């Protein structure tokens, strides 16, 4: 979608305010030209003996002055009504679009860069619209009316002004066309700078722990070099562009003034005509000169918005099929039907994987890091689409249902629990948006989070900080468990859900998790194998393949990779692959 198309589409609900601003600027443009004509008449009347309409002209001038005040006031009212809603509409429009993108998009793009682009659209699109109305439209209308007035004095004045304006706008068009790639590169480099800043602030704990603020600032300066180069390239081009425009202005101004003096000396025009032509031309020159200054900002803003709207160009990799149904899980069976999958540019991770998880089964996933455990559950969640094959939930292809309904039926407790910078109450309620306070507190008690929450100065209304930085890892994990308890989905996925808890708290939590798992199809990823002893089945992953499938006792008896991992385990955790060979 081009910038013009986007502006036309998003301004539809606000057209009445735009028409109001356009109407007001029409009044302003008419007022300016009529006043020039009234001044001409006043001058001619003043030099004519016995003239009687002098005060009549003064009254008309005063009326138009009042109209000018009313027009600008109405225009300001429309502008306020327009911008107050339109900016948030643009931001929500883009945020909603970006929200439909696949999870991989957010893995490959800095959040700060995305936010910077939305911020550019938020601020600059209204600025573009205002420039178009208050500069371009105003200038065009003023010039059009001025041409008519000048033609009444002498046709050559109108012809000269028209030719000069055509020259000016040809220069503007050519300059704008050449400046677009420069402004696009400038805007992209600017968003990259904000992306680096966001990455720096988000990881401030690491910066403090490793004392790397100097390194980060050096890295930021290196990243800023491209921005500086792009800004200078754009600036130098616009400077040359402005010099060229200034030369055109100067040539025209001197030319029309000489021609005006010549006609006056030849008694072709009256003193009032002289004043009218002089004021009209200098008004147009002044407006276009002002416009040339505005054009620099306009071109820069346009390039920034162009770059911001690249967010709309890519279609989501994972989309709901047309008329996708809402999934309703009644049993919780999960079937991988000859599934193949690989990440972009990587070797296949799953190749013809076939496995069935029966309703209500408790399944453990073990294996070396990178073996495919997390990818396995991400495919169930449809954060990625399989390359070949199908994944069925209760016999329904997961691609044939809406993503929202699929994930609404799956409770997920991740290893690294990330929270919103909101209150604890809001973060826990995220598991069930319409839950009341009593339900939230009950879920917190079952997750053994209520104890530490009560001790906080503001209790459940305490803010947790960005990504939950005000809480310990164990506290964040208990909040994530409380959310899952509150959600109470028929399918449950635990990814090292208790890895950051102390042994005593973990013992309490395990009891709550056992209650939560009751009657649910549950998948548990664990490096601490002791947490899987009571699983119905354990799937052992190695390089994307399920190399063993059975209970804890069966897998130990098979002398499989699972037994190797069990024997090599130290303190209840799996070693990395290289440690096995030490």
């Amino acid at each position: 979608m081009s910038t013009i198309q986007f502006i036309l589409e998003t301004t539809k609900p606000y057209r009445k305010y735009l028409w109001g601003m356009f109407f007001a600027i029409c009044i302003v443009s008419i007022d300016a030209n009529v006043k020039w004509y009234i001044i001409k008449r006043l001058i001619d009347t003043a030099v004519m003996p016995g003239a009687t309409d002098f005060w009549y002209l003064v009254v008309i001038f005063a009326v138009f002055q009042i109209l000018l005040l009313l027009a600008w006031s109405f225009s300001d009212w429309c502008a306020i009504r327009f911008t107050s809603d339109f900016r948030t509409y643009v931001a929500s429009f883009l945020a909603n679009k970006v929200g439909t993108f696949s999870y991989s998009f957010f893995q490959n793009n800095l959040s700060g860069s995305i936010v910077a682009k939305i911020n550019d659209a938020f601020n600059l699109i209204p600025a573009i619209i205002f420039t178009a109305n208050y500069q371009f439209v105003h200038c065009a209308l003023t010039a059009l009316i001025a041409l008519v007035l000048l033609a009444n004095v002498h046709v050559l004045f109108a012809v000269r002004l028209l030719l000069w304006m055509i020259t000016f706008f040809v220069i503007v068009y050519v300059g704008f066309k050449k400046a677009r790639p420069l402004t696009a590169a400038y805007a992209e480099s600017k968003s990259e700078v904000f992306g680096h800043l966001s990455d720096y602030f988000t990881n401030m704990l690491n910066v403090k722990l490793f004392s790397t603020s100097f390194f980060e600032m050096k890295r930021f300066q290196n990243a800023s070099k491209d921005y500086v180069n792009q800004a200078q390239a754009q600036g130098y081009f616009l400077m040359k562009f402005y010099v060229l425009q200034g030369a055109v202005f100067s040539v025209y101004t001197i030319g029309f003034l000489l021609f005006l003096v010549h006609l006056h000396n030849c008694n072709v025009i009256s003193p009032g005509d002289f004043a009218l032509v002089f004021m009209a031309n200098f008004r147009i020159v002044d407006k276009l000169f002002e416009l040339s200054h505005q054009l620099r900002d306009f071109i820069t803003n346009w390039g920034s918005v162009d770059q911001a709207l690249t967010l709309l160009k890519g279609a989501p990799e994972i989309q709901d099929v047309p008329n996708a149904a809402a999934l309703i899980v009644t049993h919780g069976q999960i079937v991988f039907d000859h599934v193949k999958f690989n990440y972009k540019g990587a070797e296949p991770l799953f190749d013809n994987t076939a496995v069935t998880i029966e309703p209500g089964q408790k399944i453990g996933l073990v294996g070396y890091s990178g073996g495919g455990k997390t990818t396995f559950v991400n495919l169930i969640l449809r954060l990625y689409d399989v390359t070949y094959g199908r994944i069925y939930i209760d016999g329904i292809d997961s691609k044939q249902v809406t993503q929202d309904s699929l994930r609404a039926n799956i409770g997920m407790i991740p290893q690294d629990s990330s929270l919103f910078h909101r209150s604890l109450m809001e973060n826990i309620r995220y598991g069930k948006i319409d839950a009341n306070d009593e339900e939230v507190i009950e879920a917190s008690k079952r997750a053994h989070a209520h104890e530490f929450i009560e001790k906080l100065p503001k209790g459940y209304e305490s803010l947790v900080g960005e990504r939950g930085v005000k809480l310990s890892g164990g506290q964040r994990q208990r909040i994530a468990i409380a959310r899952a308890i509150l959600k109470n989905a028929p399918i449950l996925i635990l990814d090292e859900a208790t890895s950051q808890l102390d042994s005593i708290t973990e013992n309490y939590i395990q009891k709550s998790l056992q209650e939560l798992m009751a009657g649910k199809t549950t998948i548990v990823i664990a490096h601490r194998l002791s947490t899987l002893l009571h699983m119905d089945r354990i799937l052992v992953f190695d390089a994307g393949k399920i190399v063993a499938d059975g209970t804890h006792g069966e897998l130990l008896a098979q002398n499989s990779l699972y037994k190797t991992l069990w024997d090599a385990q130290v303190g209840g955790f799996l070693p990395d692959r290289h440690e096995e060979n030490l």
Side-chain angles (χ1 to χ4, degrees), residues 85-97:
D85 287 340
F86 178 70
R87 280 182 170 147
T88 54
Y89 178 72
V90 168
S92 63
F93 184 96
L94 291 174
N96 184 60
K97 173 66 176 179

Side-chain angles (χ1 to χ4, degrees), residues 277-315:
V277 173
F278 184 86
M279 287 186 295
N281 275 276
F282 265 99
R283 175 63 176 166
I284 298 299
V285 169
D286 186 58
K287 284 301 297 180
L288 290 179
F289 194 73
E290 180 184 342
L291 184 62
S292 68
H293 280 281
Q294 293 288 335
L295 275 172
R296 290 192 284 187
D297 291 336
F298 183 83
I299 291 172
T300 301
N301 293 346
W302 191 280
S304 297
V305 172
D306 259 351
Q307 200 59 28
L309 297 184
T310 57
L311 292 173
L312 299 175
K313 292 182 179 178

Side-chain angles (χ1 to χ4, degrees), residues 476-509:
R476 288 197 301 271
Q477 209 154 21
R478 277 181 271 177
I479 298 302
I481 292 170
R483 281 201 297 212
I485 291 173
L486 191 61
K487 186 175 184 180
N488 196 28
I491 298 174
L492 184 63
I493 297 175
L494 311 179
D495 185 0
E496 289 291 331
T498 61
S499 62
Q500 299 191 52
L501 303 178
D502 60 84
S503 299
I504 296 175
T505 303
E506 181 187 10
N507 185 49
Y508 288 126
I509 293 297

Side-chain angles (χ1 to χ4, degrees), residues 29-46 53-54 56-58 60-61 64 142 145-153 270-281 283:
S29 302
I30 293 171
D31 172 86
N33 286 279
V34 169
K35 282 181 178 176
W36 300 335
Y37 182 74
I38 293 173
I39 291 173
K40 163 196 155 40
R41 291 285 305 276
L42 283 170
I43 293 174
D44 287 340
T45 301
D53 57 351
F54 190 86
Y56 171 74
L57 293 171
V58 171
I60 294 177
F61 186 93
F64 272 95
T142 302
I145 299 171
L147 286 171
V148 175
L149 292 175
L150 292 176
N152 286 329
V153 176
S270 69
D273 291 334
F274 187 100
L276 173 64
V277 173
F278 184 86
M279 287 186 295
N281 275 276
R283 175 63 176 166

